[in-house]
Amino acid sequence: MLLSQIKDRAERLAPRLLEIRRHLHAHPELSGQEYQTAAYVAGVLSSCGLHVQEAVGKTGVVGELDGQGNDPRRLAIRTDMDALPIQEGTQLDFASCKLGVMHACGHDVHTTLGLGTAMLLSELQNELAGNVRFIFQPAEEIAQGAGWMVRDGAMREVSNIFGVHVFPSIPARSVGVRYGALTAAADDIEIFIQGESGHGARPHEAKDAIWIAAQVITALQQAIARTQNPLRPLVLTIGQINGGRAPNVIADQVHMAGTVRSLHPETHENLPQWLEHIIASICQTYGARYELKYQRGVPSVQNDPGMTQLLEAAAREAWGDEHVQTIPEPSLGAEDFSLYLEQAPGSMFRLGVGFADRPNYPLHHPRFEVDEAAIITGVVTLAYAACKYWQQG
Ligand code: NI
């Protein structure tokens, strides 16, 4: 039977996959600089007979595996390869050998999953009625890589796509699936406020940019509560603020920068006008000028019901109901996987990497680790879901 065949082959590949993961973990590369990782990925893919294209989306790699049937539908599996500017704090033998760079988001595991699934499916080509395209993207952490890959044609002729992200609060050997929204739309904002300087003792002769900025921040947070639909989440964080030169001088300029997260497409659509209206009304009231820079980031990841069902069915069959959770709430984090979903319906699932006997650190923490048992769970789930893909109508 196909599933037990896939599991046996995955077990046989396990030592090699551990080796790959540990190699990648020890040699992390920052977003957009994944040269050695890409060359390594291309080498593994070529060695198992895939057609490989390098330098897609700058430092991305695409591998194409031909199926034996003539189903025109092409399935893509996307993984990401970049690391973070974090100094690793684990005591692992294979800890990062690069100062200040660490795979703290598990993209080393993702790359291993892509390679492992490619290795496994290349041994089962007669089970594939159509082609599988493996997309190894760079620069996910800066939300750029998916756009680069799409621009360079990585999604051309792709009918559907799967993605995966490790998740430390789900135990290893389990997966989480979610129907609908998985992550939020994330946009960047910058607000400049121009007032007028003056003596700290004579406020009536000045236009205090710091005080006006404080009004703007307060008004924005209150307006979320009073003007936005509370059933459609919206988070606005001003993470940076600068202004003023001396304790007794009224500041003429303030610069603020932040991030805006939303889930509902309508909320997302209307955000620039909404912000502009509030900022403008306060600045007008107190005679300041302003500038708002609104930079659209990535949209929300909206998982397709059919593709999610396929993943869920494959995982339940492979691991049993107790190892498959339906994720109850979306995250307000962001993921550029959404840019592939604009091209073709698909689904991203969460792979548990939590330890049974100790708590895990969160993603992006210097001491984040994964229970490596998850690698087999991920590879089998992806490979089996891929085989089942062409069996459905
Ligand atoms: Ni990540």
Side-chain angles (χ1 to χ4, degrees):
M1 173 197 166
L2 180 60
L3 178 58
S4 57
Q5 220 188 110
I6 289 177
K7 283 186 167 180
D8 289 349
R9 285 177 194 270
E11 283 305 332
R12 244 178 290 149
L13 285 172
R16 173 79 179 117
L17 296 179
L18 277 193
E19 195 179 282
I20 290 175
R21 188 261 155 162
R22 292 175 179 193
H23 170 83
L24 293 169
H25 191 85
H27 301 93
E29 292 176 295
L30 291 172
S31 305
Q33 299 170 32
E34 304 87 343
Y35 299 103
Q36 287 172 13
T37 309
Y40 183 87
V41 163
V44 175
L45 293 175
S46 308
S47 74
C48 43
L50 275 76
H51 313 291
V52 179
Q53 245 185 299
E54 289 180 76
V56 184
K58 301 191 182 175
T59 42
V61 182
V62 171
E64 188 96 5
L65 179 64
D66 293 335
Q68 300 292 301
N70 50 11
D71 195 313
R73 288 175 297 165
R74 181 183 269 105
L75 176 68
I77 294 176
R78 173 276 206 167
T79 52
D80 43 15
M81 306 187 289
D82 54 329
L84 286 157
I86 291 175
Q87 176 61 40
E88 179 152 356
T90 74
Q91 302 301 315
L92 297 167
D93 303 341
F94 54 92
S96 171
C97 54
K98 274 194 199 152
L99 202 66
V101 186
M102 177 192 176
H103 269 297
C105 197
H107 298 190
D108 52 336
V109 174
H110 302 165
T111 305
T112 308
L113 297 176
L115 291 174
T117 308
M119 289 157 84
L120 200 154
L121 289 179
S122 72
E123 299 173 5
L124 289 173
Q125 266 168 296
N126 52 352
E127 298 293 341
L128 305 174
N131 290 9
V132 188
R133 182 174 296 167
F134 293 89
I135 297 176
F136 295 84
Q137 82 158 72
E140 192 283 327
E141 294 294 353
I142 56 169
Q144 298 288 319
W148 297 344
M149 296 303 283
V150 170
R151 210 172 312 139
D152 278 3
M155 287 296 282
R156 216 169 284 146
E157 293 169 1
V158 167
S159 316
N160 294 99
I161 185 164
F162 285 136
V164 57
H165 204 294
V166 298
F167 210 66
S169 59
I170 298 177
R173 299 180 182 81
S174 290
V175 303
V177 297
R178 182 167 165 84
Y179 291 82
L182 180 72
T183 61
D187 299 336
D188 293 327
I189 55 167
E190 276 187 83
I191 306 168
F192 298 91
I193 292 179
Q194 178 70 55
E196 219 173 288
S197 193
H199 195 293
R202 302 185 64 79
H204 54 293
E205 293 172 359
K207 285 164 185 163
D208 184 350
I210 287 182
W211 173 70
I212 295 168
Q215 302 290 315
V216 166
I217 295 171
T218 307
L220 288 172
Q221 297 301 355
Q222 290 177 343
I224 291 173
R226 298 289 88 183
T227 68
Q228 293 284 336
N229 182 342
L231 299 177
R232 296 178 179 175
L234 174 60
V235 169
L236 183 144
T237 293
I238 299 291
Q240 270 184 317
I241 179 161
N242 281 296
R245 279 184 290 269
N248 59 352
V249 177
I250 289 174
D252 60 343
Q253 285 185 336
V254 168
H255 170 253
M256 301 185 262
T259 179
V260 198
R261 308 295 173 108
S262 61
L263 282 181
H264 198 280
E266 220 170 274
T267 307
H268 187 222
E269 180 62 35
N270 296 328
L271 281 171
Q273 299 92 290
W274 176 80
L275 275 157
E276 181 100 36
H277 175 71
I278 294 163
I279 299 165
S281 60
I282 289 169
C283 288
Q284 264 158 27
T285 304
Y286 298 117
R289 284 181 290 126
Y290 74 94
E291 190 188 343
L292 168 66
K293 285 190 183 168
Y294 197 98
Q295 180 79 40
R296 291 277 186 201
V298 295
S300 160
V301 167
Q302 298 280 338
N303 282 335
D304 173 70
M307 292 300 284
T308 308
Q309 205 165 31
L310 182 58
L311 274 176
E312 185 180 4
R316 284 193 192 279
E317 251 185 274
W319 314 114
D321 291 344
E322 67 277 22
H323 292 288
V324 182
Q325 356 182 319
T326 311
I327 301 163
E329 290 167 351
S331 146
L332 291 178
E335 198 7 289
D336 68 5
F337 184 69
S338 53
L339 296 176
Y340 301 102
L341 295 179
E342 289 184 335
Q343 309 292 316
S347 188
M348 170 174 253
F349 70 101
R350 288 182 180 164
L351 178 68
V353 292
F355 297 98
D357 55 347
R358 60 185 162 110
N360 207 338
Y361 289 93
L363 295 168
H364 294 208
H365 190 284
R367 294 179 68 184
F368 169 70
E369 286 181 40
V370 306
D371 182 334
E372 290 175 320
I375 292 171
I376 294 301
T377 311
V379 166
V380 170
T381 304
L382 281 168
Y384 189 46
C387 291
K388 286 168 78 81
Y389 171 68
W390 289 278
Q391 290 165 11
Q392 49 159 31

